[in-house]
Amino acid sequence: QVQFVESGGGLVQPGGSLRPSCAASESVFWMYTMGWYRQAPGKERELVATTTTGQSTDYVDSVKGRFTISRDNAKNTVSLQMNSLKPEDTAVYYCRAEHMTTRAVNWGQGTQVTVSS
């Protein structure tokens, strides 16, 4: 099975920036619609941003204007540029991959993002 691995989380102060990324283990990245989800303790996992192979994008309202999702199909990676971070952005961020035709879903292991003074 194709595996997806996140990296690039960390601890930053409010107003800071991070750029986690997600890499696929196989060279079939172009077949997947990619998304970033996050889950805070005691809360449900929620969609943050998504992008198709054609690089159309969508964002949850709370991150619009602050986060940017992008993908590099040649490098089999997707990243999430997060600016102006707020404490409420604190969560584990997960990479989600959905096959464009079979609709099979794969998840990454998650990377921790903590925003605190």
Side-chain angles (χ1 to χ4, degrees):
Q1 292 182 329
V2 178
Q3 295 181 336
F4 297 85
V5 180
E6 303 95 333
S7 62
L11 190 155
V12 296
Q13 294 183 337
S17 298
L18 284 172
R19 189 182 177 89
S21 63
C22 173
S25 63
E26 304 287 343
S27 299
V28 293
F29 190 70
W30 60 274
M31 294 289 292
Y32 293 86
T33 295
M34 303 299 301
W36 283 98
Y37 286 66
R38 66 187 180 187
Q39 186 168 23
K43 297 184 178 180
E44 297 294 319
R45 190 172 298 185
E46 66 171 349
L47 174 67
V48 178
T50 186
T51 182
T52 66
T53 299
Q55 298 191 337
S56 63
T57 59
D58 196 18
Y59 302 88
V60 67
D61 286 345
S62 61
V63 308
K64 288 181 178 177
R66 300 188 297 121
F67 291 9
T68 303
I69 187 171
S70 61
R71 65 190 297 159
D72 187 333
N73 289 331
K75 296 182 179 180
N76 301 310
T77 59
V78 61
S79 63
L80 185 67
Q81 179 66 53
M82 304 187 295
N83 298 324
S84 302
L85 283 163
K86 304 175 180 179
E88 51 262 44
D89 295 318
T90 296
V92 177
Y93 283 70
Y94 295 92
C95 176
R96 180 185 187 271
E98 180 177 330
H99 197 277
M100 295 175 66
T101 56
T102 70
R103 305 305 185 192
V105 174
N106 293 98
W107 291 92
Q109 86 287 352
T111 186
Q112 177 70 50
V113 171
T114 302
V115 185
S116 179
S117 299

